Amino acid sequence: MGFGGISIWQLLIVLAIIVLLFGTKKLRGLGGDLGNAVKGFKNAMSDEEGSNKESDKPNEALQNQTQQNSKAANTETDKDKV
């Protein structure tokens, strides 16, 4: 038994029919195109992760600055109360 009730012989017969229908050149080209698409997708995902890490740094700086500004505003209001 193979995958989901399909034996290895049935898979080999289907593969042979596909090779006969399309030929090895078309299958090789299709495999190359698929490989390039996967490689491009991986590169795009890694580029996006790198840009997200870089873009988080300015956001953290802005958050720190707003926290410091709010602390300064709180101390000014405390001085006004006295």
Side-chain angles (χ1 to χ4, degrees):
M1 279 268 157
F3 302 101
I6 300 174
S7 70
I8 189 72
W9 295 110
Q10 291 170 335
L11 290 174
L12 288 175
I13 291 170
V14 170
L15 180 65
I17 292 171
I18 291 174
V19 168
L20 288 173
L21 287 176
F22 295 109
T24 56
K25 288 184 180 181
K26 281 190 177 183
L27 291 176
R28 188 180 311 135
L30 182 66
D33 292 342
L34 182 64
N36 287 335
V38 170
K39 187 186 295 184
F41 179 75
K42 286 182 180 180
N43 288 338
M45 291 300 292
S46 65
D47 289 345
E48 184 177 311
E49 287 176 3
S51 67
N52 283 343
K53 288 180 182 178
E54 291 175 4
S55 66
D56 287 344
K57 290 180 183 179
N59 288 339
E60 289 175 6
L62 286 173
Q63 288 176 351
N64 290 338
Q65 186 178 14
T66 55
Q67 288 175 353
Q68 290 173 353
N69 289 343
S70 65
K71 287 179 184 177
N74 287 341
T75 56
E76 288 177 7
T77 56
D78 291 341
K79 288 179 185 178
D80 291 339
K81 290 180 183 177
V82 175

